[in-house]
Amino acid sequence: MALAYNPKAGTLIRARAPLRLGLAGGGTDVSPYCDIHTGAILNVTISKFSYAMLEITDDGQIVFEALDRNEMTTYDVVVRLPPDGCLDLHKAVYNRIVGDYLGGRPVSLRLRTSSDAVAGSGLGSSSTLVVTMVQAFVEAFALPLGEYDVAHLAYIIERKDLGLKGGKQDQYAATFGGFNFMEFYAEDRVIVNPLRVKNWIACELESSLVLYFTGVSRESANIIAEQVSNVQSGNQTSIDAMHALRREAVAMKEHLLRGDIPALGRALQAGWEAKKRSAHSISNSNIDAIDQAAREAGAFAGKMSGAGGGGFMFFLAPPECRQKVIKALQQFGGTASACYFTSEGAKAWRVR
């Protein structure tokens, strides 16, 4: 593809994209399950973000910085940067943009990023970061990429170019934003159905929601690998659990649109129980203890966000019980807080 626009040195672009809560159906977006059976996921983006700052320079250098991780690496300007374990997400985005959209013309630049959540949080932070960087390049070079294009490109970069295990929901959630019911088919076909959730329903759900970071990030690849292996080997218990996850996503969508929070909570809990049956490593004794403490304090449903094993959990509780639930969770050493939604997806803007 020919270069659409050639920004001058000094051009500065900022971008951000929201993280997400996986409400239901998580794991059904991973091949081979979605290729064979079709996946379905309900998610919502929250007011936590990944950020990117892209500056075009003229010093013949490529500089990548992860500000939240205190990492920086510098290279001479080249067409392709080989992955070496240091900010490989940044390099993979650069490689794809230069190779596919800039006609193989290398660019001198400085790309700085940060995130409101650590990798392994269960909020889709890695995929959201890729979306944010892609969006920054789209704005800088006026690339003709719409929402589906950005999400699919981010998926290709992470899953194909870098070979990182995972599904597809995170890239689409970050790009589109808001409440979405997503369908996943063979050959990487995805349909995003934005949901028109009434304002009072969103407010009631926010008032009932407690977000809890366990303090332990986890590597989702091992959990996903177990789920994939279970499907490939025909493990009927795991496959039936995945079918249940998909059904609960459909049911939860209907409860959400009607504003039936108790029914939504029951579907959330059923989905969590099904998810735990899809792979042994999704839960553990510490997660179970946290879940029990939240329930004893008044929560009526809860689950891990993301693949499981650690990261963020979230709970639904009557609003009058929410502070009691937060206090109960704090005894485990993590961080409990309220959580708020955002309807806006990935965006980028020109500073200069």
Side-chain angles (χ1 to χ4, degrees):
M1 177 180 290
L3 181 61
Y5 173 71
N6 187 14
K8 64 182 181 180
T11 296
L12 176 62
I13 303 297
R14 299 194 200 277
R16 76 176 193 183
L19 304 175
R20 62 98 187 98
L21 286 182
L23 297 176
T28 66
D29 58 328
V30 179
S31 298
Y33 180 85
C34 63
D35 303 330
I36 302 169
H37 304 289
T38 302
I41 282 182
L42 177 69
N43 57 35
V44 61
T45 50
I46 60 176
S47 56
K48 292 182 180 292
F49 300 89
S50 288
Y51 306 89
M53 293 155 278
L54 175 61
E55 183 177 8
I56 306 300
T57 60
D58 57 5
D59 59 4
Q61 298 286 303
I62 299 170
V63 181
F64 297 133
E65 287 185 79
L67 300 173
D68 51 341
R69 294 162 53 183
N70 198 29
E71 292 183 36
M72 184 176 76
T73 184
T74 303
Y75 304 90
D76 292 329
V77 168
V78 292
V79 174
R80 184 170 182 82
L81 296 166
D84 59 8
C86 183
L87 301 183
D88 285 347
L89 291 178
H90 298 60
K91 284 180 279 190
V93 171
Y94 172 87
N95 290 342
R96 266 288 170 178
I97 295 295
V98 169
D100 289 3
Y101 298 99
L102 305 188
R105 183 181 67 82
V107 181
S108 177
L109 56 82
R110 187 182 193 97
L111 177 59
R112 292 170 286 184
T113 61
S114 64
S115 177
D116 289 336
V118 298
S121 65
L123 301 179
S125 55
S126 296
S127 300
T128 302
L129 183 60
V130 175
V131 167
T132 309
M133 290 189 285
V134 169
Q135 196 69 53
F137 277 102
V138 167
E139 177 67 24
F141 292 92
L143 302 180
L145 300 180
E147 292 166 322
Y148 276 99
D149 302 314
V150 169
H152 181 68
L153 178 58
Y155 166 76
I156 292 296
I157 289 169
E158 195 174 5
R159 307 294 180 228
K160 308 290 186 180
D161 294 351
L162 291 175
L164 300 175
K165 301 292 185 182
K168 305 177 181 71
Q169 70 155 317
D170 298 346
Q171 295 86 354
Y172 287 85
T175 304
F176 282 81
F179 287 92
N180 289 294
F181 181 77
M182 301 180 180
E183 301 166 90
F184 302 89
Y185 299 89
E187 300 180 349
D188 294 335
R189 188 166 70 92
V190 180
I191 296 177
V192 177
N193 303 282
L195 301 182
R196 297 181 63 182
V197 177
K198 293 180 180 179
N199 185 62
W200 76 264
I201 296 174
C203 290
E204 181 68 11
L205 189 56
E206 284 181 333
S207 298
S208 306
L209 192 62
V210 175
L211 188 63
Y212 178 71
F213 181 53
T214 62
V216 179
S217 60
R218 83 288 180 269
E219 176 55 64
S220 62
N222 294 333
I223 297 172
I224 293 167
E226 183 182 352
Q227 290 176 315
V228 169
S229 176
N230 287 340
V231 174
Q232 290 175 333
S233 65
N235 183 312
Q236 199 57 49
T237 298
S238 181
I239 293 172
D240 287 345
M242 301 291 277
H243 291 340
L245 284 169
R246 185 181 61 189
R247 289 195 300 270
E248 293 306 331
V250 175
M252 191 178 290
K253 176 192 70 172
E254 295 172 357
H255 301 322
L256 175 66
L257 292 174
R258 290 199 303 265
D260 190 341
I261 303 299
L264 189 148
R266 291 191 293 272
L268 181 72
Q269 189 59 37
W272 173 230
E273 296 302 326
K275 189 171 182 67
K276 288 190 286 185
R277 295 194 299 272
S278 70
H280 294 297
S281 51
I282 285 173
S283 190
N284 55 48
S285 58
N286 184 55
I287 291 172
D288 291 342
I290 293 170
D291 187 52
Q292 182 178 350
R295 292 176 188 287
E296 290 175 353
F300 55 83
K303 69 183 290 285
M304 299 295 307
S305 180
F312 277 88
M313 303 177 72
F314 63 95
F315 299 91
L316 289 179
E320 61 271 18
C321 294
R322 188 168 66 168
Q323 288 304 315
K324 186 178 178 181
V325 172
I326 289 174
K327 185 176 181 179
L329 292 172
Q330 288 172 339
Q331 67 178 306
F332 291 92
T335 305
S337 65
C339 181
Y340 302 99
F341 307 133
T342 179
S343 60
E344 191 172 59
K347 64 179 297 185
W349 60 97
R350 189 175 301 267
V351 178
R352 63 174 186 263

